[in-house]
Amino acid sequence: MKVAVLIKQTPDTAELPKVSPEEVRSGDVKATMVINPWDEYAAEEAIQLGDRFGASSVAISLGKEGETDALKHALAMGVNSALLVDVEAAREGDVWAVATALAAAVQHEGDVDVVLTGKMSVDGNSGAVYTGVACKLGWNLLVNVTKIVDIADGVVTAERSFEGGQETVTMPLPVVISVAKEINDPRYPSFMGIRKASRAKIPVLTAQELGLESIPRAVRWENLRKPEARHTEVQIIEGETVEEQAAKLVDALLAEKVI
Amino acid sequence: MDFQLNDEQRAIRDMVRRFAQEKVAPLAHHTDETGEFPAQIFKEMGELGLLGLPVPEEYGGVGADTVSYALAVEELSAACGSTGLTYAAHTSLACMPLLWFGSEAQKRKYLTHLAQGKGLGAFGLTEPQAGSDAAGLRTTAVKDGDSWVLNGQKMWITSGAIADVVIVAAVTDPERGARGISNFIVEKGTPGFIPGKNEPKMGLKGSVTSQLFFQDCRIPAENLLGELNGGFIQFMKTLDGGRISIAACSLGLGRAAFEAAREYAKQRHAFGHPIADFQAIQFKLADMATELEASRLLIYQAAVLKDRGRPFTKEAAMAKLFASEAAERVCYQAIQIHGGYGYSREYPVERIYRDNRLMAIGEGTSEILRMVIGRRVLRE
């Protein structure tokens, strides 16, 4: 069995507020780039599927040559191999273009049974790429998976969350799965893993190799701006007793028409 | 000349920083208040390979360079001084002398155990009457058949009472002064090796600081480390390396104090402005940042020289002297910027100030370091 885990390199969440619209527009983001935190859960699950079912794993990321920090992080965690997909038309395109390039890379890799992804990226926040990948591949899609119960006889059994409950589903392979954070506790890469990963030469798959020199785009950004910073005010409710504090809190909430 | 970290150094720093901020920092206040050694943290550090970071892979380590090791010490110390110091002592004072001077059998047995994080190591040099004056050691080791018999007392030994392996300096030829000292490997639990109490200290309260007693403590002859009477040279070289890591401890502590002060200055308002708007505060922050950057460059210089096999005694001494005293000034100003809150135990700068005070004393006082540097610059 082979698992492909789709990884995005995103700004460190602590530095996200400092990223300017100009940096996003030019693609030259100055922030520290890390593995998308949601994708760490997918990488961890790929490694665990290796332990449980002997699956081999490959991490795939879309990016310019040299943008390999996130892939190296996945390697250091224990994912078997990595692949950088350098397709300019996808990098500068919409989510459909990204999905097109990633799906092509999965097909190019061959023999992949399961594609794992995080639930969204912390920068783009679309949560739509894995849907596009499943669509392009023509595979089944399972979202918000909290547990992969079993993979046997060409069928995956998984638990997933949805509004108001949890369900167990079975689905034939091949399948695209987006994982929720409840699925595991991503490990820290070992320091030996970091050393080996930092020396790894990561193969690059080009647009020419994938036949994706141009990808039609359905969405165009006319404008890009940062949302206004929200101004908040902190009010400490004081009182001699908990009851008194609670009463004052209720009065304050009523006054603000919160309750 | 290239001031950039390489990919490996950067990746190691980033991962230690993440581990330190997620796992170590949340415990720092508790560790300081209770004096509890953070054993679970060290268990996890061992599992990740951190406890053997600069030890070659063949002995269970990771094989990273000294710059990476210094970065790791800085990050851990920025999160918790007690954790940073314990880590530095384990690596610089126990693992490295075993690597440099141990026999193949000693490395396989003891170094691998420590590098794999199965236990901590310690270095027993200082005695109640002999600290900077290493030639004044009174602990003795006498050969008796296939054994050495140790008698004496050690003091201020980091992790001494909790270490699996302690390297102990003892007089083997009283006639020869400093040239009559040898180092021995003593395992925890050896009869006659009696760990004493954990010393109450001003800071670094989660770092176990022990007295050690040796009463007819009999160890196998093969536990002599390196050459007989070669102990002085061994521990001078060990301390040279250790000084890089103590400098890195100070850099981490100073950085943490600086960052806390910077954030406080942005949030604290006075006279209708954040106090960061006032030049008095900006000048303090500027001096603090500059001193930390100078410390960093001295540390990297010493680490690179060490990795290249070049002499680094003077540079390591300069790095520790400057970084420890600079961090003292940085911590002082961090408390000034915090005002009354800086004096409160509820804010981290109070703890950091106390934790850093040791760095100008341990592994060579500032006074000894000035002698080391002074002698060398006069010879040049």
Side-chain angles (χ1 to χ4, degrees):
Chain A
M1 184 166 58
K2 192 168 186 177
V3 178
V5 52
L6 306 183
I7 301 285
K8 188 174 184 187
Q9 188 162 292
T10 58
D12 189 329
T13 43
E15 297 183 30
L16 263 177
K18 296 181 199 162
V19 177
S20 69
E22 290 71 30
E23 288 174 63
V24 175
R25 213 172 283 131
S26 67
D28 184 20
V29 176
K30 305 276 191 306
T32 306
M33 301 302 280
V34 299
I35 184 171
N36 173 37
W38 297 112
D39 293 341
E40 274 193 287
Y41 296 94
E44 174 64 33
E45 198 59 21
I47 298 162
Q48 291 191 17
L49 292 180
D51 296 340
R52 291 168 66 195
F53 305 110
S56 64
S57 53
V58 55
I60 300 175
S61 183
L62 177 68
K64 278 187 282 198
E65 194 167 353
E67 290 180 347
T68 54
D69 284 0
L71 286 173
K72 288 186 174 181
H73 184 99
L75 286 177
M77 285 175 75
V79 172
N80 298 138
S81 60
L83 180 64
L84 182 69
V85 183
D86 185 1
V87 176
E88 190 179 0
R91 284 201 314 273
E92 296 179 359
D94 51 24
V95 290
W96 183 245
V98 173
T100 302
L102 291 172
V106 170
Q107 273 173 330
H108 185 275
E109 188 68 18
D111 305 327
V112 175
D113 303 289
V114 178
V115 170
L116 291 170
T117 79
K119 65 182 231 178
M120 61 170 65
S121 61
V122 295
D123 54 356
N125 279 315
S126 77
V129 169
Y130 48 80
T131 310
V133 170
C135 195
K136 289 295 288 186
L137 290 170
W139 294 6
N140 292 316
L141 173 66
L142 263 176
V143 300
N144 226 17
V145 167
T146 54
K147 185 178 183 181
I148 294 178
V149 181
D150 198 11
I151 299 177
D153 303 323
V155 173
V156 59
T157 306
E159 292 176 8
R160 65 191 188 103
S161 291
F162 60 98
E163 265 185 55
Q166 186 92 2
E167 64 181 1
T168 303
V169 292
T170 57
M171 204 164 265
L173 300 177
V175 64
V176 175
I177 296 175
S178 82
V179 302
K181 68 180 172 59
E182 293 79 9
I183 195 165
N184 57 43
D185 187 11
R187 71 193 67 189
Y188 288 105
S190 73
F191 287 93
M192 185 56 81
I194 290 171
R195 280 207 81 201
K196 285 182 178 161
S198 68
R199 286 176 289 197
K201 293 271 179 256
I202 294 178
V204 180
L205 206 51
T206 62
Q208 288 75 20
E209 287 170 279
L210 293 172
L212 293 174
E213 281 89 346
S214 69
I215 306 173
R217 57 196 300 170
V219 177
R220 192 171 305 280
W221 292 348
E222 295 296 337
N223 189 15
L224 193 64
R225 64 174 177 81
K226 278 188 115 163
E228 294 292 318
R230 271 183 284 183
H231 295 287
T232 53
E233 198 175 301
V234 177
Q235 194 179 341
I236 306 290
I237 305 288
E238 292 181 349
E240 289 294 313
T241 63
V242 174
E243 288 78 10
E244 188 185 335
Q245 289 172 357
K248 285 185 179 176
L249 177 60
V250 168
D251 289 344
L253 291 172
L254 282 170
E256 292 292 331
K257 297 186 171 53
V258 176
I259 54 175
Chain B
M1 184 173 285
D2 184 357
F3 288 94
Q4 298 294 314
L5 298 178
N6 64 34
D7 284 352
E8 183 179 311
Q9 291 161 346
R10 199 165 44 83
I12 288 173
R13 179 203 61 191
D14 290 350
M15 186 42 55
V16 182
R17 179 175 295 174
R18 181 172 164 187
F19 175 81
Q21 292 305 316
E22 289 179 359
K23 299 274 185 174
V24 180
L27 274 179
H29 181 70
H30 174 84
T31 298
D32 182 56
E33 288 290 315
T34 62
E36 288 172 14
F37 171 70
Q40 178 60 28
I41 292 291
F42 276 87
K43 182 170 177 291
E44 291 182 46
M45 287 164 64
E47 288 165 358
L48 290 171
L50 201 44
L51 294 181
L53 194 64
V55 175
E57 294 175 38
E58 61 193 296
Y59 301 116
V62 172
D65 61 14
T66 307
V67 172
S68 300
Y69 167 55
L71 291 165
V73 174
E74 178 193 336
E75 294 302 331
L76 290 168
S77 301
C80 169
S82 296
T83 303
L85 180 76
T86 305
Y87 173 64
H90 162 87
T91 311
S92 291
L93 302 186
C95 291
M96 298 322 278
L98 284 169
L99 174 67
W100 288 328
F101 313 116
S103 65
E104 188 58 27
Q106 288 170 342
K107 288 187 220 181
R108 296 271 167 223
K109 183 175 181 184
Y110 296 111
L111 178 58
T112 303
H113 179 83
L114 298 183
Q116 290 177 339
K118 293 176 179 167
L120 284 175
F123 184 44
L125 172 61
T126 304
E127 299 184 355
Q129 284 83 29
S132 299
D133 176 17
L137 293 182
R138 294 185 187 177
T139 296
T140 59
V142 177
K143 189 83 182 284
D144 181 22
D146 286 341
S147 305
W148 285 96
V149 179
L150 273 60
N151 278 286
Q153 181 183 351
K154 297 290 175 183
M155 202 163 181
W156 309 119
I157 309 305
T158 302
S159 304
I162 56 172
D164 282 4
V165 178
V166 184
I167 297 169
V168 178
V171 176
T172 40
D173 187 344
E175 306 298 315
R176 298 182 63 193
R179 307 286 164 187
I181 296 169
S182 305
N183 292 324
F184 298 89
I185 303 167
V186 181
E187 292 181 39
K188 182 166 88 174
T190 304
F193 169 32
I194 305 154
K197 70 183 174 82
N198 186 9
E199 294 289 342
K201 306 186 295 291
M202 174 184 183
L204 299 166
K205 297 190 177 204
S207 161
V208 175
T209 309
S210 315
Q211 290 187 50
L212 304 176
F213 300 93
F214 299 91
Q215 293 179 357
D216 293 328
C217 175
R218 188 174 289 271
I219 59 171
E222 62 263 27
N223 279 24
L224 168 70
L225 182 67
E227 286 182 21
L228 181 65
N229 297 324
F232 182 77
I233 301 292
Q234 289 175 13
F235 61 65
M236 292 310 282
K237 183 174 177 188
T238 300
L239 289 173
D240 281 345
R243 283 167 189 160
I244 297 174
S245 65
I246 296 298
C249 278
S250 272
L251 175 59
L253 288 162
R255 196 190 88 203
F258 166 76
E259 289 173 352
R262 182 177 57 186
E263 288 313 302
Y264 184 85
K266 287 182 191 171
Q267 288 166 15
R268 170 74 179 187
H269 282 67
F271 310 106
H273 292 272
I275 61 170
D277 285 356
F278 300 122
Q279 214 168 43
I281 301 299
Q282 290 171 6
F283 280 10
K284 287 185 195 299
L285 289 168
D287 288 345
M288 292 157 79
T290 304
E291 294 220 69
L292 291 171
E293 207 56 31
S295 300
R296 186 184 303 283
L297 294 175
L298 282 169
I299 291 165
Y300 292 173
Q301 175 184 238
V304 167
L305 287 172
K306 177 170 173 288
D307 282 335
R308 290 183 182 170
R310 303 272 304 278
F312 66 98
T313 299
K314 180 185 76 178
E315 289 77 8
M318 285 175 162
K320 178 181 177 294
L321 172 66
F322 186 83
S324 61
E325 295 191 350
E328 171 90 11
R329 293 187 289 272
V330 168
C331 289
Y332 177 91
Q333 295 296 3
I335 289 177
Q336 286 302 112
I337 290 171
H338 277 76
Y341 291 108
Y343 198 61
S344 161
R345 291 173 79 105
E346 298 293 318
Y347 282 72
V349 289
E350 183 268 347
R351 163 174 52 82
I352 297 168
Y353 194 36
R354 286 186 285 107
D355 282 355
N356 185 66
R357 188 62 186 87
L358 173 79
M359 305 306 165
I361 301 170
E363 297 189 39
T365 60
S366 288
E367 291 71 24
I368 287 289
L369 295 179
R370 285 190 165 87
M371 286 169 60
V372 169
I373 298 163
R375 283 175 189 158
R376 281 175 193 267
V377 295
L378 284 168
R379 279 208 303 254
E380 286 168 356

